[in-house]
Amino acid sequence: MTVDVTVVGGGISGFACARAVRDAGGSVRVIDRGRRPGGRLASRTLEGRAVDLGASYFVVGEDAGFAGLVADWESRGVARPWTDTFSLFDADGAETRKTGPMRWAAPAGSRALVLDLADGIDVESGREVTRAAPFRVDGQDAGEVVLAMPEPQARRLGHGIPVAPQEWEPVIAVVLRWDERRWPVDLHGAFVNGDPDIAFLADDGDRRGDGAPVLVVHSTGDAARRHLDAPDDAIPAVVAATRRLLGIGAEPDSVRAHRWTFARPARPTGEPFLRTPGLSWCGDAWGEAAAVRTAWASGDALGRALAGS
């Protein structure tokens, strides 16, 4: 049976769209190529523990709908306030502390946020969509089709995608685990300016609240582009830069690398979403700034617009 809306892409934007359609009484399904939903809020189980590889945190912002969702997540233990203070390292290694908005994280890993949104939604996981067109997915009737994915991925699904090409920055996320914590207890996360290899690092044990001696380090875009074909080749430089900045004498006990070819849009569109008859588009590129809250708001707004029609 054909549904009202078919969403292709199982990240936070796709499920925000699907829930908005369902909550308005429409029928919806989500198709995702991964084994489990998550998108760029993915967590990977390493040595029996989920590690956040994608978005490092989220900020609530001013959207009342997203604020209400976060309040619900907090009440049920799905999300928790993490920190309002990050370090900033300059090219010489000098450190300053910067206070800003509260950053939030998920105790069970960021994928838990998407899984919570996916509860009760018809999901077809592990399916690679090869063709999308107005009202059709892989040649079959699909109702209104929503592409909830980066533009370069969406463009592979068909000709005539009604949007200009978008530039996306790659990132290689490197997980470093030691036998014990070897960095200051008040280091939650840090931005790194001027380093050719790393741009951000997060204390994953502090972020998750379990104290695990794990850092997740995000490469610069230039470093990721150099190593997209072989992400493990980025590991030595990332480890060296991390140890130098944090004064860690010992090599990590284990290291893993994960490639994000389309990690973040270079220039968000400023528009909430793209809607055309039978084929629409949402995600963190459709807003004022690339962020988790932007992705949710884009999908939610598109879902409500589709349901209203």
Side-chain angles (χ1 to χ4, degrees):
M1 182 178 68
T2 302
V3 295
D4 296 321
V5 177
T6 297
V7 179
V8 183
I12 191 168
S13 183
F15 280 105
C17 180
R19 284 182 70 97
V21 172
R22 188 200 65 176
D23 291 350
S27 59
V28 61
R29 65 169 173 165
V30 175
I31 302 173
D32 188 55
R33 67 179 181 177
R35 290 180 300 168
R36 301 175 68 202
R40 280 169 287 138
L41 287 181
S43 307
R44 181 177 178 183
T45 300
L46 299 175
E47 300 179 25
R49 177 184 179 276
V51 179
D52 283 336
L53 297 173
S56 298
Y57 56 85
F58 67 90
V59 173
V60 176
E62 299 180 357
D63 186 292
F66 189 61
L69 175 64
V70 174
D72 177 60
W73 279 340
E74 183 181 18
S75 71
R76 295 185 287 115
V78 179
R80 63 186 283 267
W82 174 27
T83 183
D84 64 356
T85 303
F86 279 161
S87 294
L88 176 65
F89 289 99
D90 64 21
D92 297 324
E95 179 186 5
T96 57
R97 296 294 174 94
K98 297 289 186 179
T99 300
M102 177 58 66
R103 282 83 169 188
W104 289 68
S110 57
R111 188 192 300 274
L113 306 176
V114 179
L115 292 176
D116 188 71
L117 290 176
D119 186 41
I121 300 293
D122 179 14
V123 183
E124 183 178 355
S125 297
R127 175 181 167 186
E128 184 82 30
V129 170
T130 60
R131 182 75 177 178
F135 305 106
R136 299 180 74 79
V137 170
D138 289 338
Q140 302 296 315
D141 291 341
E144 292 277 355
V145 177
V146 171
L147 304 180
M149 63 185 68
E151 177 273 330
Q153 292 177 321
R155 194 167 295 278
R156 298 170 184 169
L157 301 183
H159 300 290
I161 297 292
V163 66
Q166 297 173 354
E167 180 183 355
W168 285 68
E169 284 284 314
V171 165
I172 294 175
V174 181
V175 182
L176 298 83
R177 185 182 185 98
W178 281 264
D179 58 343
E180 62 182 5
R181 204 173 197 275
R182 295 175 179 269
W183 49 91
V185 68
D186 59 349
L187 178 75
H188 309 290
F191 294 103
V192 183
N193 289 336
D195 188 274
D197 296 297
I198 67 174
F200 181 80
L201 59 87
D203 182 332
D204 198 59
D206 184 67
R207 174 168 60 187
R208 293 272 311 285
D210 64 358
V214 176
L215 294 175
V216 178
V217 184
H218 286 188
S219 75
T220 62
D222 287 343
R225 278 185 281 269
R226 292 197 302 270
H227 301 296
L228 275 182
D229 292 335
D232 285 355
D233 290 351
I235 289 176
V238 168
V239 171
T242 302
R243 291 179 59 198
R244 173 177 55 81
L245 287 174
L246 301 186
I248 300 174
E251 289 281 347
D253 295 326
S254 64
V255 184
R256 301 286 183 89
H258 181 88
R259 171 183 57 212
W260 296 104
T261 304
F262 308 113
R264 55 180 173 263
R267 288 176 294 278
T269 67
E271 300 297 325
F273 53 77
L274 173 73
R275 184 181 176 197
T276 63
L279 183 64
S280 300
W281 206 334
C282 61
D284 58 337
W286 298 94
E288 297 298 331
V292 172
R293 64 184 184 275
T294 302
W296 179 88
S298 174
D300 179 69
L302 176 58
R304 287 186 284 108
L306 293 173
S309 65

PDB file of all heavy atoms in Angstrom, residues 31-54:
ATOM      1  N   ILE A  31      13.088   4.968   4.710  1.00  0.00           N
ATOM      2  CA  ILE A  31      14.022   4.013   4.131  1.00  0.00           C
ATOM      3  C   ILE A  31      15.435   4.493   4.434  1.00  0.00           C
ATOM      4  O   ILE A  31      15.771   5.647   4.185  1.00  0.00           O
ATOM      5  CB  ILE A  31      13.834   3.886   2.607  1.00  0.00           C
ATOM      6  CG1 ILE A  31      12.407   3.452   2.271  1.00  0.00           C
ATOM      7  CG2 ILE A  31      14.830   2.900   2.015  1.00  0.00           C
ATOM      8  CD1 ILE A  31      12.103   3.462   0.780  1.00  0.00           C
ATOM      9  N   ASP A  32      16.253   3.593   4.982  1.00  0.00           N
ATOM     10  CA  ASP A  32      17.613   3.973   5.344  1.00  0.00           C
ATOM     11  C   ASP A  32      18.572   2.865   4.938  1.00  0.00           C
ATOM     12  O   ASP A  32      18.274   1.684   5.109  1.00  0.00           O
ATOM     13  CB  ASP A  32      17.718   4.226   6.850  1.00  0.00           C
ATOM     14  CG  ASP A  32      19.063   4.805   7.242  1.00  0.00           C
ATOM     15  OD1 ASP A  32      19.446   5.841   6.671  1.00  0.00           O
ATOM     16  OD2 ASP A  32      19.734   4.225   8.123  1.00  0.00           O
ATOM     17  N   ARG A  33      19.714   3.248   4.425  1.00  0.00           N
ATOM     18  CA  ARG A  33      20.667   2.249   3.957  1.00  0.00           C
ATOM     19  C   ARG A  33      21.449   1.610   5.090  1.00  0.00           C
ATOM     20  O   ARG A  33      22.066   0.549   4.915  1.00  0.00           O
ATOM     21  CB  ARG A  33      21.635   2.871   2.958  1.00  0.00           C
ATOM     22  CG  ARG A  33      22.574   3.907   3.546  1.00  0.00           C
ATOM     23  CD  ARG A  33      23.506   4.454   2.477  1.00  0.00           C
ATOM     24  NE  ARG A  33      24.435   5.444   3.015  1.00  0.00           N
ATOM     25  CZ  ARG A  33      25.382   6.037   2.305  1.00  0.00           C
ATOM     26  NH1 ARG A  33      25.512   5.742   1.022  1.00  0.00           N
ATOM     27  NH2 ARG A  33      26.194   6.911   2.851  1.00  0.00           N
ATOM     28  N   GLY A  34      21.482   2.231   6.268  1.00  0.00           N
ATOM     29  CA  GLY A  34      22.215   1.672   7.396  1.00  0.00           C
ATOM     30  C   GLY A  34      21.469   0.533   8.069  1.00  0.00           C
ATOM     31  O   GLY A  34      20.259   0.356   7.890  1.00  0.00           O
ATOM     32  N   ARG A  35      22.202  -0.234   8.853  1.00  0.00           N
ATOM     33  CA  ARG A  35      21.556  -1.315   9.600  1.00  0.00           C
ATOM     34  C   ARG A  35      20.653  -0.778  10.700  1.00  0.00           C
ATOM     35  O   ARG A  35      19.669  -1.407  11.068  1.00  0.00           O
ATOM     36  CB  ARG A  35      22.612  -2.235  10.222  1.00  0.00           C
ATOM     37  CG  ARG A  35      23.385  -3.078   9.198  1.00  0.00           C
ATOM     38  CD  ARG A  35      24.393  -3.946   9.892  1.00  0.00           C
ATOM     39  NE  ARG A  35      25.363  -3.144  10.648  1.00  0.00           N
ATOM     40  CZ  ARG A  35      26.226  -3.656  11.532  1.00  0.00           C
ATOM     41  NH1 ARG A  35      26.229  -4.949  11.774  1.00  0.00           N
ATOM     42  NH2 ARG A  35      27.089  -2.872  12.154  1.00  0.00           N
ATOM     43  N   ARG A  36      21.013   0.384  11.237  1.00  0.00           N
ATOM     44  CA  ARG A  36      20.213   1.037  12.264  1.00  0.00           C
ATOM     45  C   ARG A  36      20.154   2.523  11.931  1.00  0.00           C
ATOM     46  O   ARG A  36      21.094   3.077  11.366  1.00  0.00           O
ATOM     47  CB  ARG A  36      20.823   0.848  13.662  1.00  0.00           C
ATOM     48  CG  ARG A  36      20.968  -0.584  14.105  1.00  0.00           C
ATOM     49  CD  ARG A  36      21.686  -0.632  15.439  1.00  0.00           C
ATOM     50  NE  ARG A  36      20.873  -0.072  16.508  1.00  0.00           N
ATOM     51  CZ  ARG A  36      21.379   0.393  17.659  1.00  0.00           C
ATOM     52  NH1 ARG A  36      22.689   0.422  17.841  1.00  0.00           N
ATOM     53  NH2 ARG A  36      20.580   0.861  18.597  1.00  0.00           N
ATOM     54  N   PRO A  37      19.059   3.189  12.298  1.00  0.00           N
ATOM     55  CA  PRO A  37      18.978   4.630  12.061  1.00  0.00           C
ATOM     56  C   PRO A  37      20.079   5.376  12.810  1.00  0.00           C
ATOM     57  O   PRO A  37      20.641   4.874  13.785  1.00  0.00           O
ATOM     58  CB  PRO A  37      17.588   4.995  12.600  1.00  0.00           C
ATOM     59  CG  PRO A  37      16.813   3.718  12.597  1.00  0.00           C
ATOM     60  CD  PRO A  37      17.818   2.648  12.885  1.00  0.00           C
ATOM     61  N   GLY A  38      20.348   6.583  12.358  1.00  0.00           N
ATOM     62  CA  GLY A  38      21.332   7.407  13.052  1.00  0.00           C
ATOM     63  C   GLY A  38      21.886   8.521  12.198  1.00  0.00           C
ATOM     64  O   GLY A  38      22.036   9.646  12.637  1.00  0.00           O
ATOM     65  N   GLY A  39      22.220   8.210  10.940  1.00  0.00           N
ATOM     66  CA  GLY A  39      22.816   9.234  10.094  1.00  0.00           C
ATOM     67  C   GLY A  39      24.117   9.746  10.687  1.00  0.00           C
ATOM     68  O   GLY A  39      24.945   8.969  11.163  1.00  0.00           O
ATOM     69  N   ARG A  40      24.285  11.058  10.677  1.00  0.00           N
ATOM     70  CA  ARG A  40      25.509  11.638  11.226  1.00  0.00           C
ATOM     71  C   ARG A  40      25.456  11.815  12.746  1.00  0.00           C
ATOM     72  O   ARG A  40      26.348  12.428  13.333  1.00  0.00           O
ATOM     73  CB  ARG A  40      25.814  12.968  10.526  1.00  0.00           C
ATOM     74  CG  ARG A  40      26.480  12.767   9.160  1.00  0.00           C
ATOM     75  CD  ARG A  40      26.563  14.016   8.338  1.00  0.00           C
ATOM     76  NE  ARG A  40      25.259  14.394   7.806  1.00  0.00           N
ATOM     77  CZ  ARG A  40      24.788  15.632   7.771  1.00  0.00           C
ATOM     78  NH1 ARG A  40      25.502  16.628   8.240  1.00  0.00           N
ATOM     79  NH2 ARG A  40      23.603  15.882   7.252  1.00  0.00           N
ATOM     80  N   LEU A  41      24.429  11.247  13.380  1.00  0.00           N
ATOM     81  CA  LEU A  41      24.416  11.101  14.836  1.00  0.00           C
ATOM     82  C   LEU A  41      24.753   9.653  15.196  1.00  0.00           C
ATOM     83  O   LEU A  41      24.224   9.094  16.150  1.00  0.00           O
ATOM     84  CB  LEU A  41      23.048  11.483  15.414  1.00  0.00           C
ATOM     85  CG  LEU A  41      22.719  12.972  15.417  1.00  0.00           C
ATOM     86  CD1 LEU A  41      21.350  13.221  16.045  1.00  0.00           C
ATOM     87  CD2 LEU A  41      23.772  13.767  16.198  1.00  0.00           C
ATOM     88  N   ALA A  42      25.645   9.073  14.444  1.00  0.00           N
ATOM     89  CA  ALA A  42      25.958   7.668  14.630  1.00  0.00           C
ATOM     90  C   ALA A  42      26.846   7.438  15.850  1.00  0.00           C
ATOM     91  O   ALA A  42      27.707   8.258  16.178  1.00  0.00           O
ATOM     92  CB  ALA A  42      26.650   7.114  13.385  1.00  0.00           C
ATOM     93  N   SER A  43      26.613   6.326  16.508  1.00  0.00           N
ATOM     94  CA  SER A  43      27.489   5.829  17.556  1.00  0.00           C
ATOM     95  C   SER A  43      27.969   4.446  17.125  1.00  0.00           C
ATOM     96  O   SER A  43      27.216   3.680  16.532  1.00  0.00           O
ATOM     97  CB  SER A  43      26.754   5.729  18.898  1.00  0.00           C
ATOM     98  OG  SER A  43      26.142   6.941  19.243  1.00  0.00           O
ATOM     99  N   ARG A  44      29.195   4.140  17.439  1.00  0.00           N
ATOM    100  CA  ARG A  44      29.749   2.829  17.110  1.00  0.00           C
ATOM    101  C   ARG A  44      30.204   2.145  18.385  1.00  0.00           C
ATOM    102  O   ARG A  44      30.832   2.771  19.254  1.00  0.00           O
ATOM    103  CB  ARG A  44      30.924   2.983  16.144  1.00  0.00           C
ATOM    104  CG  ARG A  44      31.551   1.664  15.724  1.00  0.00           C
ATOM    105  CD  ARG A  44      32.653   1.907  14.715  1.00  0.00           C
ATOM    106  NE  ARG A  44      33.303   0.670  14.329  1.00  0.00           N
ATOM    107  CZ  ARG A  44      34.341   0.595  13.493  1.00  0.00           C
ATOM    108  NH1 ARG A  44      34.818   1.708  12.954  1.00  0.00           N
ATOM    109  NH2 ARG A  44      34.879  -0.555  13.194  1.00  0.00           N
ATOM    110  N   THR A  45      29.873   0.872  18.522  1.00  0.00           N
ATOM    111  CA  THR A  45      30.268   0.129  19.708  1.00  0.00           C
ATOM    112  C   THR A  45      31.706  -0.345  19.551  1.00  0.00           C
ATOM    113  O   THR A  45      32.032  -1.113  18.642  1.00  0.00           O
ATOM    114  CB  THR A  45      29.344  -1.072  19.939  1.00  0.00           C
ATOM    115  OG1 THR A  45      28.000  -0.592  20.118  1.00  0.00           O
ATOM    116  CG2 THR A  45      29.758  -1.836  21.194  1.00  0.00           C
ATOM    117  N   LEU A  46      32.573   0.142  20.428  1.00  0.00           N
ATOM    118  CA  LEU A  46      33.978  -0.234  20.441  1.00  0.00           C
ATOM    119  C   LEU A  46      34.321  -0.754  21.826  1.00  0.00           C
ATOM    120  O   LEU A  46      34.097  -0.064  22.829  1.00  0.00           O
ATOM    121  CB  LEU A  46      34.867   0.962  20.099  1.00  0.00           C
ATOM    122  CG  LEU A  46      34.650   1.596  18.718  1.00  0.00           C
ATOM    123  CD1 LEU A  46      35.506   2.844  18.562  1.00  0.00           C
ATOM    124  CD2 LEU A  46      34.979   0.591  17.615  1.00  0.00           C
ATOM    125  N   GLU A  47      34.815  -1.986  21.884  1.00  0.00           N
ATOM    126  CA  GLU A  47      35.180  -2.613  23.150  1.00  0.00           C
ATOM    127  C   GLU A  47      34.017  -2.578  24.134  1.00  0.00           C
ATOM    128  O   GLU A  47      34.179  -2.282  25.324  1.00  0.00           O
ATOM    129  CB  GLU A  47      36.423  -1.937  23.739  1.00  0.00           C
ATOM    130  CG  GLU A  47      37.635  -2.019  22.818  1.00  0.00           C
ATOM    131  CD  GLU A  47      38.861  -1.336  23.387  1.00  0.00           C
ATOM    132  OE1 GLU A  47      38.957  -1.208  24.618  1.00  0.00           O
ATOM    133  OE2 GLU A  47      39.721  -0.921  22.592  1.00  0.00           O
ATOM    134  N   GLY A  48      32.823  -2.866  23.603  1.00  0.00           N
ATOM    135  CA  GLY A  48      31.640  -2.976  24.451  1.00  0.00           C
ATOM    136  C   GLY A  48      31.011  -1.672  24.869  1.00  0.00           C
ATOM    137  O   GLY A  48      30.093  -1.658  25.695  1.00  0.00           O
ATOM    138  N   ARG A  49      31.449  -0.561  24.272  1.00  0.00           N
ATOM    139  CA  ARG A  49      30.931   0.751  24.675  1.00  0.00           C
ATOM    140  C   ARG A  49      30.632   1.578  23.430  1.00  0.00           C
ATOM    141  O   ARG A  49      31.433   1.621  22.491  1.00  0.00           O
ATOM    142  CB  ARG A  49      31.972   1.470  25.538  1.00  0.00           C
ATOM    143  CG  ARG A  49      31.577   2.878  25.966  1.00  0.00           C
ATOM    144  CD  ARG A  49      32.724   3.536  26.732  1.00  0.00           C
ATOM    145  NE  ARG A  49      32.363   4.890  27.114  1.00  0.00           N
ATOM    146  CZ  ARG A  49      32.492   5.945  26.317  1.00  0.00           C
ATOM    147  NH1 ARG A  49      32.973   5.802  25.097  1.00  0.00           N
ATOM    148  NH2 ARG A  49      32.144   7.148  26.756  1.00  0.00           N
ATOM    149  N   ALA A  50      29.478   2.249  23.429  1.00  0.00           N
ATOM    150  CA  ALA A  50      29.117   3.115  22.312  1.00  0.00           C
ATOM    151  C   ALA A  50      29.966   4.380  22.347  1.00  0.00           C
ATOM    152  O   ALA A  50      30.132   5.000  23.404  1.00  0.00           O
ATOM    153  CB  ALA A  50      27.645   3.476  22.373  1.00  0.00           C
ATOM    154  N   VAL A  51      30.511   4.765  21.204  1.00  0.00           N
ATOM    155  CA  VAL A  51      31.326   5.974  21.068  1.00  0.00           C
ATOM    156  C   VAL A  51      30.685   6.853  20.006  1.00  0.00           C
ATOM    157  O   VAL A  51      30.342   6.388  18.916  1.00  0.00           O
ATOM    158  CB  VAL A  51      32.773   5.626  20.663  1.00  0.00           C
ATOM    159  CG1 VAL A  51      33.589   6.903  20.495  1.00  0.00           C
ATOM    160  CG2 VAL A  51      33.421   4.715  21.697  1.00  0.00           C
ATOM    161  N   ASP A  52      30.518   8.132  20.316  1.00  0.00           N
ATOM    162  CA  ASP A  52      29.929   9.061  19.362  1.00  0.00           C
ATOM    163  C   ASP A  52      30.962   9.458  18.317  1.00  0.00           C
ATOM    164  O   ASP A  52      32.005  10.031  18.636  1.00  0.00           O
ATOM    165  CB  ASP A  52      29.417  10.315  20.079  1.00  0.00           C
ATOM    166  CG  ASP A  52      28.110  10.070  20.804  1.00  0.00           C
ATOM    167  OD1 ASP A  52      27.392   9.137  20.415  1.00  0.00           O
ATOM    168  OD2 ASP A  52      27.813  10.807  21.761  1.00  0.00           O
ATOM    169  N   LEU A  53      30.649   9.182  17.061  1.00  0.00           N
ATOM    170  CA  LEU A  53      31.566   9.457  15.958  1.00  0.00           C
ATOM    171  C   LEU A  53      31.166  10.673  15.134  1.00  0.00           C
ATOM    172  O   LEU A  53      31.988  11.253  14.434  1.00  0.00           O
ATOM    173  CB  LEU A  53      31.637   8.246  15.024  1.00  0.00           C
ATOM    174  CG  LEU A  53      32.188   6.960  15.625  1.00  0.00           C
ATOM    175  CD1 LEU A  53      32.043   5.817  14.628  1.00  0.00           C
ATOM    176  CD2 LEU A  53      33.639   7.131  16.027  1.00  0.00           C
ATOM    177  N   GLY A  54      29.889  11.040  15.174  1.00  0.00           N
ATOM    178  CA  GLY A  54      29.399  12.126  14.340  1.00  0.00           C
ATOM    179  C   GLY A  54      29.338  13.436  15.087  1.00  0.00           C
ATOM    180  O   GLY A  54      30.340  13.907  15.638  1.00  0.00           O
TER     181      GLY A  54
END
